[in-house]
Amino acid sequence: MANVEETTNKKLQTSYFDVVGICCSSEVSLVGDLLRPLDGVKEFSVIVPSRTVIVVHDILLISPLQIVKALNQARLEASVRPYGETSLTSQWPSPFAVVSGVLLVLSFLKYFYSPLEWFALVAVVAGVFPILAKAVASVTRFRVDINALTLIAVIATVCMEDYTEAATIVFLFSVADWLESSAAHKASTVMSSLMSLAPRKAVIAETGLEVDVDEVGINTVVSVKSGESIPIDGVVVDGSCDVDEKTLTGESFPVSKQRDSTVLAATINLNGYIKVKTTALATDCVVAKMTKLVEEAQKSQTKTQRFIDKCSRYYTPAVVVVAACFAVIPVLLKVQNLSHWFHLALVVLVSGCPCGLILSTPVATFCALTKAATSGFLIKTGDCLETLAKIRIAAFDKTGTITKAEFTVSDFKSLSRNINLKTLLYWVSSIESKSSHPMAAALIDYARSVSVEPTPDMVENFQNFPGEGVYGRIVGQDIYIGNKRIAQRAGCLIPGAEANMKRGKTIGYIYIGEELTGSFNLLDGCRHGAAQALQELKSLNIKTAMLTGDNRDAAMSIQEQLGNALDIVHAELLPQDKARIIDEFKSQGPTMMVGDGLNDAPALAKADIGISMGISGSALATETGDIILMSNDINKIPKGMRLARRSHKKVIENVVLSVGIKGAIMVLGLVGYPLIWAAVLADAGTCLLVILNSMMLLRDEREAPHVCYRASPSSPVKLEEPEVDDLEVGLLQKSGETSKKSCRSGCCSGPKDKQQN
């Protein structure tokens, strides 16, 4: 069954094809020449490192098998990829290579019995067919690839009666090509598993029938048993269980799910039985969007790759001209030992294929993007990966990024004698019910905890003011809720009550018309491991900053909890202020912004790299960011940066390997040892080395030793005594030991705490 995605038009489907014959990006134009004339092919794309062709086509006009037939006209060895698998499953070389190798070995017995020398010629005939077929297909389309160059070398050495070298060329080329294909297959296996995370079937809870996920509509209730994958994004309506979200977020700890909990497709129900009410179609699930982003990223080209591809267009013609000169000029000059010059010309000619150099960047990029995606760190393009490796300044939003955005309301006060506290709380919670900010959820929960139920339907003319607050009209009252800037919206002076509030808390104000009628405090705590992430960024020579719209006391309280890990703290910022500061940072070096909300969108767009907190982040932040963090673990950011730097290092190593090996073979020929078989082996072997070297990125790097980042006892800044109330919201541990010496990063939390985060 082909890997198929139904589009909005039921006649169109997306099919995936494994195409072994794709060696480097030079074959992309060949694939285009084959597919464009076909009726029913709407669009196509080629992912070179995984040797994958993706085609959107009209199934009424052309089938996947017809597309395979068209691709195989050029001997590209294409096949339809089954869903979630790869058809590149051959573990052994082709029979042509095996027979050629056996005959070549027998030919070496010529030193004992001279007629056996002819076995070398038979080895050439036995093994040359695949090379000949691909070369003919290439030349008939006015292209010169490594198969054509190798065939020329084989014919020339046979003409010079050097049968053993000709047989060696055929055998080594065939084996190297097989090894290269096998390595590419292993690299693409990880990607294939990522593309097929979501299950293809769902069980309707009401009837117990199993149906395709594409047939499941929104608000359908599906059942999920223990050990099964959740088929579609939704909300739990019955039952409870623990869910393994590692496939999406990279988190190893299970997450507990109860009634009204959100669950995501492709995550696994570890225990229990649940019923899930779907909130999206299969094509709109988080995993489907994630797969699409990764696919688009792998089709993109980096600046380095575009430069190499441009240079390679001139490299091959130039090498062919040089090779012709080495062959023709000695003949014209009637020099002695023409065989040496012919061998040298063939060495240069075989070196005319720049496949290893062309592959040096895309394979490393492919492996890095795949590794990042499987770790819950989605990088949208190859250029983003390159830029990430160069970052020198990292700026973070506070609420929901460095902190948990799990607010607790305290000191909710009515400052008007004419308004009852519960009445004010009812108005505020009703208006905040229309906001998506984490602070709004805290106010709603607080209202319900004192038996006040908000009614958002009563609210009129709701407005959101990013960086300031919200406005709504309820029972004839114009109410403004927000930080001190909201006072200007209400038409009065900035309040002076702030001095009486406890230091380190987020302060909110409530205005009815122009009158300050209430205030409240909000408490928040740092995310687990935030201090460790910032320290790791420092170890990478990256300057860190926090940009927040909150008051300065709240910002400095977070800085203290982090053990003063931040280099720069800016508070009381509007969205445009954050964007302005990012511009200032960019003048000092490449800058990254990490955020999760509407207020962060301008700064995310302005930064060289914008990282949005994916699943928890707002839709706009996710759309604006260049990178999506699928979980709330900001420790993945320094890991992602190290991966980007490793990828950049691998690209440099690959280029040096590609150029250095071919250069060494040419130098060897110039000093009197023109070995054609070595040139062929170097060409195919370079591609293999590039792939294997890049695949090192798929391995987990060694974890840095765990360090507890406690605030220094000698730190001049200490938490004031009134803030012991923060124990209730998890800022500090409730134990005698930690009350004496508090862990500022959360790195001392137990497994239970880790599980919850």
Side-chain angles (χ1 to χ4, degrees), residues 237-296:
V237 294
D238 186 28
S240 63
C241 67
D242 291 328
V243 173
D244 182 356
E245 297 183 341
K246 182 166 55 179
T247 51
L248 289 184
T249 66
E251 296 295 327
S252 56
F253 291 99
V255 180
S256 179
K257 302 291 182 181
Q258 298 85 28
R259 186 181 178 89
D260 296 329
S261 296
T262 300
V263 291
L264 301 172
T267 57
I268 301 172
N269 177 3
L270 296 177
N271 49 51
Y273 173 86
I274 57 173
K275 292 181 180 179
V276 177
K277 187 176 183 179
T278 61
T279 56
L281 298 175
T283 52
D284 296 324
C285 290
V286 169
V287 66
K289 293 178 180 178
M290 171 182 167
T291 301
K292 189 68 175 176
L293 281 174
V294 175
E295 184 181 294
E296 291 295 327

Side-chain angles (χ1 to χ4, degrees), residues 359-498:
L359 283 175
S360 58
T361 301
V363 176
T365 302
F366 172 87
C367 292
L369 291 174
T370 301
K371 178 61 179 176
T374 55
S375 303
F377 193 75
L378 291 187
I379 304 174
K380 289 186 176 180
T381 67
D383 278 336
C384 292
L385 181 69
E386 274 197 348
T387 306
L388 185 64
K390 303 173 184 176
I391 292 297
R392 289 293 172 263
I393 302 173
F396 294 82
D397 174 47
K398 178 178 78 70
T399 305
T401 303
I402 289 179
T403 67
K404 300 175 184 177
E406 296 173 358
F407 291 95
T408 299
V409 178
S410 67
D411 301 324
F412 192 98
K413 298 177 181 179
S414 174
L415 304 179
S416 173
R417 295 180 179 178
N418 301 323
I419 301 176
N420 178 275
L421 182 64
K422 285 198 172 184
T423 300
L424 182 63
L425 185 55
Y426 166 72
W427 291 345
V428 169
S429 60
S430 296
I431 293 171
E432 291 288 359
S433 294
K434 294 202 166 189
S435 172
S436 60
H437 197 282
M439 294 182 184
L443 287 166
I444 295 166
D445 290 342
Y446 180 73
R448 287 174 174 160
S449 71
V450 293
S451 302
V452 174
E453 186 63 33
T455 54
D457 292 341
M458 297 291 292
V459 179
E460 301 173 345
N461 303 326
F462 175 82
Q463 295 181 53
N464 179 50
F465 304 108
E468 299 178 19
V470 296
Y471 159 82
R473 184 176 178 82
I474 185 169
V475 295
Q477 303 283 356
D478 292 317
I479 300 179
Y480 294 85
I481 310 161
N483 58 31
K484 64 183 182 181
R485 293 193 193 89
I486 204 69
Q488 296 176 347
R489 297 279 181 184
C492 66
L493 298 175
I494 294 176
E498 193 170 4

Side-chain angles (χ1 to χ4, degrees), residues 595-659:
D596 80 320
L598 185 68
N599 299 350
D600 307 317
L604 288 170
K606 184 73 71 173
D608 296 297
I609 289 293
I611 299 182
S612 56
M613 308 286 280
I615 293 176
S616 66
S618 72
L620 181 58
T622 302
E623 185 66 28
T624 306
D626 302 299
I627 297 171
I628 299 174
L629 193 62
M630 294 297 291
S631 70
N632 294 326
D633 183 7
I634 63 174
N635 273 305
K636 293 185 183 296
I637 294 173
K639 291 179 182 178
M641 300 199 69
R642 285 196 294 270
L643 177 63
R645 292 187 178 185
R646 287 171 60 207
S647 174
H648 182 67
K649 182 179 178 181
K650 290 297 180 186
V651 169
I652 295 174
E653 291 173 358
N654 290 343
V655 170
V656 171
L657 274 173
S658 303
V659 175

Side-chain angles (χ1 to χ4, degrees), residues 165-246:
E165 183 159 27
T168 304
I169 292 171
V170 170
F171 175 69
L172 290 178
F173 181 82
S174 300
V175 171
D177 187 56
W178 164 68
L179 290 173
E180 183 187 340
S181 298
S182 299
H185 161 58
K186 289 182 179 179
S188 65
T189 298
V190 179
M191 191 59 227
S192 298
S193 62
L194 181 66
M195 304 287 272
S196 60
L197 284 176
R200 305 302 295 169
K201 299 289 183 180
V203 177
I204 306 299
E206 185 177 357
T207 63
L209 293 177
E210 186 177 69
V211 298
D212 289 338
V213 290
D214 296 328
E215 299 175 12
V216 179
I218 297 175
N219 294 327
T220 302
V221 178
V222 299
S223 62
V224 186
K225 297 178 183 178
S226 175
E228 293 181 346
S229 292
I230 295 168
I232 303 179
D233 294 356
V235 176
V236 177
V237 294
D238 186 28
S240 63
C241 67
D242 291 328
V243 173
D244 182 356
E245 297 183 341
K246 182 166 55 179

